[in-house]
Amino acid sequence: MTDLKEGVCLAGFWFNHEHCCWKSNTTFTDRDKCPEWKSWSQLILGHGEGAFAYILNYFMYVIWALMFSLLAVLLVKGFAPYACGSGIPEIKTILSGFIIRGYLGKWTLVIKTITLVLAVSSGLSLGKEGPLVHVACCCGNILCHLFTKYRKNEAKRREVLSAAAAAGVSVAFGAPIGGVLFSLEEVSYYFPLKTLWRSFFAALVAAFTLRSINPFGNSRLVLFYVEFHMPWHLLELVPFILLGIFGGLWGAFFIRSNIAWCRRRKTTRLGKYPVLEVFVVTAITAILAFPNEYTRMSTSELISELFNDCGILDSSQLCEYVNDFNSTKGDDLPDRAAGPGVYTAMWQLALALIMKVFITIFTFGMKVPSGLFIPSMAVGAIAGRLLGVAVEQLAFYHHDWAIFSGWCSQGADCITPGLYAMVGAAACLGGVTRMTVSLVVIMFELTGGLEYIVPLMAAAMTSKWVADAIGREGIYDAHIRLNGYPFLEAKEEFSHKTRAMDVMRPRKNDPPLTVITQDSMTVEDVETIVTKTTYSGYPVVVSRASQRLVGFVLRRDLIISIENARKKQDGIVSTSVICFTDYCPPLPPSSPSVLKLRSILDLSPFTVTDETPMEIVVDIFRKLGLRQCLVTHNGKLLGIITKKDVLKHIAQMANQDPNSILFN
């Protein structure tokens, strides 16, 4: 569908340009001009040359891009609002114990799958990898509902979602080990050993299925497979570290700019017109992209071309060097002088870099499925290729300099610009997401470049250090904070000496805690409490006088149980007593039937004493993914601590305004 913007295959409209020309008898140099593929000007006008043909192709490119993106945003807006964006910030929040109802539902799965194809095909500066993690988690959540063991156990379900996230990255990149490490490092809140091998198995099955389908038609799992013939030299670590610095600076700049734009979208009238925003951004992207060969092609193709090591048969502009075939040894081509095609490509890539840097800021966060991996890698790959060609030409013309004399003699193949593109891609992706271990593994699985682990590690670590020096948050954590999700960052330590009683509610001068007694309240009393409050659950005590804790009951379970009892049980009226114990106290014969709700009562709610250090409480919330915890003293209920209270307390300890922590 991406190539449909430029033309159509006569053998079958579902074939892209490359697949269409596979069976063609054209020569190698004319392989892009096979008779089976027709541009829109050739199809409509009968020829593809001239200014009018160019204008027609330009017009059709923009029209198809607008059609794809508008269809995507209208489907998202009309059927599944949760299908927009990346999905990874929300997955992280769900795995931390917060529930976003409908986020992993079947409608979200169906609409996100369809609109992801449309959004990527429209040519917008976005990727498919983040949304595929969301799609995989939707599949995992839906499958959980088929099995009682997982349907009724939130902890088990989170293990399945961790494995699903690993499978999503495995499918998106063809990187099963990287997928497991991504789930461990970036997504999962709690990752025990059994979840590790289950995630590994899920990623293995996903990769095996992908390989059996063979989506790229090259019998490989990955789209960017490369084969570099020359090892890297120690002195090349300097430009690799420079790429790491660039990646960190770009990551910090992108996060600040994108969050500022998304905040403006949320707080102004701009957020009320998502369709218009997508229309305008798509139109600007398509109009700017078409004149430049490197922005017109899909981002995945661009990255693949930038990673490529130039060979004798390559006809790309990037490989138009001045050839001296007398010095060619086997498959290795020596470093050569750049021809006019290379210089033209450098200008086009520089313009493409500027466009990608700025247009991605406005694209990520729109109301269409949008990943960030591929655009970030594209920015880094362009910067890396530009630097790689510059170093290559420097080594060619100045091979007698001291820095080159020991290892790069004239006529030798010393510098591989494709390797610089690969390192740059890793640096920029690391700067934006702050991944390290999983990033390096994904990159070498993605490209097959196992011997280039050290350059990738150097770039990834430099990128993270530089980005962390400017701002501590990665893009996903920044979006979690922007959207107001109650998420406790597991990587930060809480070192203050406060206690549970300092954080719990009710505080001094607050109204008393809303509680339900175990056997003395009527249906009407409980319904009044539910109506007048918005809490997600209520502590159950022996009596208001004693405040001895019995358990905890969820608001949702209370509402459903009372509604069902009124419909299906005889004698349940507003004056019926609700009993949370096995043996209810005897009532006069004329009294209405008792409503027994023992089955919905949690008899073992998590509790801490009032003297428990907050350091331990915060750790408990992080490790167990709790939403609330009750505070007692000698069995007597004193108050409650919710995750939101913990987040506000952490903000207060960091000298921030606790009321600035918003929860949407």
Side-chain angles (χ1 to χ4, degrees):
M1 285 176 72
T2 303
D3 287 350
L4 204 57
K5 300 197 299 293
E6 297 182 50
V8 67
C9 182
L10 300 180
F13 70 90
W14 54 88
F15 289 123
N16 66 8
H17 194 166
E18 184 184 352
H19 289 184
C20 185
C21 296
W22 271 356
K23 295 180 181 178
S24 175
N25 294 322
T26 51
T27 60
F28 184 81
T29 52
D30 294 330
R31 65 189 184 278
D32 290 335
K33 300 175 183 175
C34 63
E36 289 86 356
W37 179 265
K38 297 288 184 186
S39 68
W40 290 111
S41 62
Q42 289 173 328
L43 207 62
I44 297 168
L45 302 176
H47 63 86
E49 305 297 328
F52 189 65
Y54 180 84
I55 292 168
L56 180 63
N57 284 332
Y58 203 149
F59 176 75
M60 292 301 293
Y61 182 92
V62 175
I63 290 298
W64 276 106
L66 289 172
M67 281 174 53
F68 287 147
S69 62
L70 284 177
L71 185 55
V73 71
L74 289 170
L75 284 171
V76 168
K77 187 182 178 186
F79 295 97
Y82 282 147
C84 67
S86 164
I88 292 179
E90 288 77 10
I91 300 295
K92 288 184 72 169
T93 308
I94 289 168
L95 286 173
S96 77
F98 188 64
I99 291 176
I100 307 175
R101 298 201 184 279
Y103 198 81
L104 301 176
K106 54 183 180 295
W107 269 112
T108 306
L109 170 64
V110 172
I111 298 300
K112 188 140 194 171
T113 305
I114 296 168
T115 54
L116 178 58
V117 175
L118 293 168
V120 172
S121 302
S122 70
L124 286 166
S125 183
L126 47 82
K128 64 182 185 301
E129 285 67 26
L132 278 176
V133 173
H134 185 188
V135 166
C137 288
C138 287
C139 294
N141 184 60
I142 291 166
L143 288 172
C144 282
H145 286 288
L146 303 178
F147 305 95
T148 309
K149 175 182 176 182
Y150 295 99
R151 185 171 63 246
K152 294 188 176 181
N153 190 323
E154 195 67 35
K156 292 280 184 192
R157 189 184 301 183
R158 285 181 214 158
E159 288 181 20
V160 172
L161 294 182
S162 293
V169 174
S170 176
V171 168
F173 283 120
I177 301 171
V180 176
L181 292 174
F182 174 81
S183 181
L184 168 62
E185 182 179 5
E186 190 63 28
V187 178
S188 296
Y189 214 63
Y190 176 58
F191 206 81
L193 195 59
K194 62 179 179 179
T195 306
L196 179 70
W197 75 259
R198 286 171 181 172
S199 300
F200 181 74
F201 180 72
L204 166 68
V205 173
F208 174 76
T209 307
L210 187 71
R211 175 63 184 82
S212 61
I213 295 170
N214 192 18
F216 306 121
N218 58 4
S219 300
R220 297 194 191 279
L221 272 179
V222 296
L223 185 59
F224 308 131
Y225 185 81
V226 292
E227 241 176 308
F228 300 135
H229 298 103
M230 293 302 296
W232 59 280
H233 193 271
L234 189 64
L235 287 173
E236 287 184 281
L237 276 178
V238 175
F240 293 154
I241 288 170
L242 287 176
L243 285 173
I245 293 169
F246 171 79
L249 293 172
W250 142 252
F253 166 74
F254 174 80
I255 291 167
R256 288 198 176 185
S257 306
N258 180 252
I259 292 299
W261 177 252
C262 289
R263 186 176 288 113
R264 184 176 180 81
R265 183 189 290 130
K266 288 174 77 75
T267 55
T268 62
R269 295 179 65 188
L270 180 67
K272 297 177 182 176
Y273 305 104
V275 178
L276 180 63
E277 183 190 7
V278 171
F279 180 88
V280 171
V281 172
T282 307
I284 293 170
T285 304
I287 289 166
L288 293 176
F290 186 83
N292 189 337
E293 178 190 346
Y294 294 106
T295 49
R296 190 190 317 156
M297 66 174 67
S298 76
T299 316
S300 296
E301 285 178 31
L302 171 62
I303 295 170
S304 187
E305 184 155 331
L306 292 169
F307 283 5
N308 184 40
D309 187 19
C310 289
I312 298 172
L313 298 176
D314 279 310
S315 59
S316 165
Q317 267 193 325
L318 282 169
C319 297
E320 281 190 24
Y321 289 90
V322 178
N323 285 314
D324 178 11
F325 290 108
N326 294 327
S327 60
T328 303
K329 302 170 187 175
D331 291 334
D332 296 342
L333 286 172
D335 287 346
R336 299 159 287 166
V342 174
Y343 289 115
T344 305
M346 292 301 102
W347 278 111
Q348 289 179 330
L349 283 174
L351 293 172
L353 177 64
I354 295 167
M355 179 196 158
K356 292 278 185 191
V357 161
F358 289 102
I359 208 74
T360 309
I361 291 167
F362 301 101
T363 306
F364 187 70
M366 290 196 308
K367 296 299 179 187
V368 290
S370 53
L372 196 57
F373 280 45
I374 290 293
S376 301
M377 287 174 65
V379 168
I382 294 171
R385 188 79 187 203
L386 290 171
L387 182 62
V389 171
V391 174
E392 180 189 45
Q393 294 306 300
L394 197 66
F396 177 78
Y397 286 109
H398 303 283
H399 55 84
D400 52 343
W401 283 9
I403 54 171
F404 298 119
S405 59
W407 58 282
C408 191
S409 58
Q410 188 172 13
D413 182 16
C414 313
I415 310 295
T416 308
L419 171 60
Y420 285 71
M422 188 170 92
V423 172
C428 281
L429 185 54
V432 171
T433 62
R434 310 298 162 85
M435 296 190 300
T436 49
V437 181
S438 56
L439 171 63
V440 172
V441 174
I442 285 172
M443 286 304 296
F444 83 68
E445 280 190 282
L446 196 61
T447 57
L450 192 61
E451 61 183 296
Y452 303 107
I453 286 181
V454 173
L456 290 170
M457 289 172 71
M461 283 310 304
T462 307
S463 164
K464 179 173 169 58
W465 286 333
V466 170
D468 280 348
I470 300 170
R472 295 289 298 173
E473 288 180 322
I475 186 67
Y476 301 130
D477 294 330
H479 271 273
I480 285 171
R481 188 165 52 83
L482 176 71
N483 291 326
Y485 300 136
F487 180 79
L488 273 170
E489 180 54 65
K491 297 165 190 168
E492 295 176 3
E493 291 185 9
F494 184 88
S495 55
H496 303 284
K497 302 298 182 185
T498 49
R499 296 168 296 171
M501 62 188 301
D502 302 324
V503 181
M504 72 177 191
R505 287 180 298 156
R507 312 267 169 84
K508 288 179 181 177
N509 304 321
D510 282 354
L513 189 66
T514 305
V515 296
I516 296 174
T517 56
Q518 67 175 0
D519 55 15
S520 61
M521 293 180 75
T522 63
V523 170
E524 186 179 18
D525 295 336
V526 172
E527 285 180 331
T528 303
I529 287 175
V530 170
T531 307
K532 288 185 176 179
T533 61
T534 57
Y535 306 130
S536 61
Y538 306 93
V540 177
V541 295
V542 174
S543 66
R544 290 188 186 278
S546 72
Q547 289 287 310
R548 295 286 174 187
L549 181 65
V550 177
F552 192 83
V553 64
L554 292 175
R555 171 198 189 89
R556 189 163 169 263
D557 292 345
L558 265 179
I559 294 170
I560 292 170
S561 299
I562 291 173
E563 282 179 0
N564 289 341
R566 282 186 182 275
K567 290 176 185 175
K568 298 176 183 177
Q569 290 185 32
D570 294 332
I572 299 298
V573 292
S574 296
T575 54
S576 297
V577 173
I578 292 181
C579 182
F580 289 98
T581 57
D582 285 329
Y583 304 102
C584 300
L587 296 171
S590 58
S591 300
S593 302
V594 175
L595 175 56
K596 294 186 177 181
L597 295 182
R598 168 85 171 185
S599 59
I600 65 168
L601 181 66
D602 179 8
L603 291 167
S604 55
F606 207 94
T607 60
V608 294
T609 67
D610 52 338
E611 294 294 329
T612 305
M614 273 307 294
E615 185 179 1
I616 294 174
V617 174
V618 170
D619 218 29
I620 289 168
F621 270 91
R622 282 176 180 158
K623 297 265 173 69
L624 299 181
L626 297 180
R627 288 191 282 278
Q628 71 276 321
C629 149
L630 301 174
V631 182
T632 62
H633 179 76
N634 293 336
K636 182 181 178 182
L637 180 66
L638 294 183
I640 187 169
I641 299 174
T642 64
K643 183 176 278 190
K644 296 176 183 180
D645 295 325
V646 173
L647 284 162
K648 286 186 175 183
H649 182 65
I650 290 173
Q652 195 173 11
M653 291 294 101
N655 296 320
Q656 298 173 5
D657 178 14
N659 295 320
S660 68
I661 308 294
L662 301 173
F663 302 105
N664 301 331

